[in-house]
Amino acid sequence: MADSPARRTRTGRMADTQTTPYLVLARKYRPRDFSTLVGQDAMVQTLGNAFAQNRIHHAFILTGVRGVGKTTTARILARAFNYEDETGRHPTLELETEGAHCRAIIEGRHVDVVEMDAASNTGIGDIREIIDSVKYGPVSAPYKVYVIDEVHMLSTAAFNGLLKTLEEPPPYVKFIFATTEIRKVPVTILSRCQRFDLRRIPADVMSAYLEKILGQEGIGFEPDALAMIVRAGEGSARDSLSLLDQAIAHGNGSVSTATVKAMLGLGDRARIIDLFEDLMGGRIAEALVALKELYDLGADPQTLLADLAEFTHLVTRIKVVPAAADDASLTPDERTRGADLAQRLPMRALTRAWQILFKGNEETGRAGNALQAAEMTLIRLAYAADLPSPDDVISKLTQQGSLPSGGGSAPPAPRGPSGGASAMRVEAMQTSPSPAPVAAPSPALPASRPQAVAQPALATVASYKDLIGLAAAKRDVLVKLALESQMRPVSFEQGRIEVALSDGADPGIIATLSARLQTWTGQRWLVMVSTKAPEGLTIRQENEQRKEAATAAAHDDPLVKAILETFPGAKLVNVTVRDDEAAPAELAPPPIEEDDE
């Protein structure tokens, strides 16, 4: 007994066999020729010139991110190779009119166009089938075309088995490879193919493409909603069309900003910007409350930190390149509020925020409790947002006369979100002209000291320090270290040196030094070891003593004291002493490097 319509429906069959199944937009509007392929003008021009000059290669490799048209381009090329009309067989890129073999190639059922997925056919056995079939000519089309998708998935043996055939195929065979991982393809394969890098489709081109499709479908849309879809598609035509399909279904036949925000989860984009403003303004309590609310709504803490870092990058980019705010893929909030924040925030606050968020993202990924790690990252960022640079503090203390005249120290400035000025409130400090730094002239090198840039054939040594400088210029580390830490000069004259060796010094260094001097100066030197007990300090010990004295003197400096009290936990790590004769009297004190913890 025949099944009733209701029974056919229950058994999974279609109740109405005349109903045409829905074809998704990515397939319905898949380009059939190069005139409808979007965003790949450079490749189309190159192929057009090659076909016009009849310089058609036998192997092509197409690479690019997902959804930019690699497989589509391969099928269009297969049509171009095998184009045949009433005038005969002739390869061409003018494919607006379908040829004798075009429909079968488009539908993937032509016997002479073989498509293989290398992800599921990776072995040498699969390639051996291709090698065996290459021996036989095409059945009906002018060329036999092999399209291998995701070719980087082939095994090493499969690649090696393909080399000979790929280099010298029969004249009726064409190979087209497609891959998203071009670096995994052996160079021996790449050298046998013409390579085309398919680019991401620009946002303006993608927007125009989607607008055209929506017009053909008769579906209304809002430009801001389309911009969100284009941005989420990341330059991929297939991804953008899939999102557009979803947005049409979500909006019940229209594409609106509200529905796209809800579909993509961009409704929280404005809240991310609010959270960023709270952090940069030092409002840590409000920021933690906002983080908890987003977490309760299902947001992942690590994703929230990544979104904050992404918005930090956007604001920084707008600050450097103001035209970046006109990007069609930006949401209205990102465009307007991002440009406003770029004007208000100093560059040091943005770069510091990026570093803290980048490190905090890694810590959150490793933490046992992601929410706690994210909260600590936001607290760190809020407290660091109003941290001025050491140059600003020194300039402010100097200009405002905050330094005591009698060796006392300035009171520490309040710190943190509750007491210090936020990064956005220090705009006045940023816009006020700061005094131009005075560049100190570099001290002149002694005339007798050899230069490492251009050494004469034979050097001249006039003092023990010149000898150390010569060893450094010759890159002789062994001799230089011995002169500085194992020897003490007793007497020095031309051709004769007397030194005292330290305890534990290698006696063989004397012969080594004598040989080096003869090579460097072209004359014989007598290097003697003093019989007297070594007195005084070595060159290295003298340098260390001077450095300790300079560090102690720097700690007593009123300006340094004020800085150390302004930055709790800071410490001096290096003190550079200028040459008194080279440094002008009107210059500021020597620069002090600080380690801000």
Side-chain angles (χ1 to χ4, degrees), residues 132-188:
D132 293 338
S133 64
V134 162
K135 302 175 183 177
Y136 305 100
V139 176
S140 59
Y143 292 96
K144 211 169 189 178
V145 182
Y146 293 92
V147 179
I148 302 180
D149 200 8
E150 299 300 335
V151 69
H152 66 275
M153 301 291 287
L154 290 179
S155 63
T156 303
F159 275 125
N160 292 336
L162 191 61
L163 288 179
K164 185 62 177 178
T165 304
L166 184 61
E167 184 173 10
E168 298 178 357
Y172 50 79
V173 172
K174 301 290 184 183
F175 287 98
I176 305 176
F177 302 140
T179 178
T180 55
E181 300 285 347
I182 190 65
R183 295 186 179 181
K184 295 183 179 179
V185 179
V187 67
T188 51

Side-chain angles (χ1 to χ4, degrees), residues 561-577:
K561 287 184 177 180
I563 293 173
L564 294 178
E565 294 186 7
T566 304
F567 292 93
K571 61 181 180 180
L572 292 176
V573 296
N574 187 29
V575 178
T576 302
V577 181

Side-chain angles (χ1 to χ4, degrees), residues 61 212 240 313 439 445 580 586 590:
I61 186 164
K212 180 180 177 181
S240 298
H313 169 264
L445 294 174
D580 294 339
E586 65 272 12

Side-chain angles (χ1 to χ4, degrees), residues 104-105 108-115 138-141 143-146:
I105 295 176
R109 54 182 175 80
H110 199 286
V111 67
D112 291 325
V113 178
V114 181
E115 293 190 25
V139 176
S140 59
Y143 292 96
K144 211 169 189 178
V145 182
Y146 293 92

Side-chain angles (χ1 to χ4, degrees), residues 508-543:
I509 193 63
I510 300 299
T512 302
L513 177 60
S514 178
R516 295 288 194 278
L517 281 171
Q518 183 174 357
T519 303
W520 294 341
T521 63
Q523 66 181 45
R524 297 179 62 84
W525 283 76
L526 178 61
V527 181
M528 303 174 57
V529 179
S530 176
T531 57
K532 301 179 181 179
E535 298 179 358
L537 302 175
T538 62
I539 298 296
R540 171 164 295 184
Q541 292 171 341
E542 291 178 357
N543 292 337

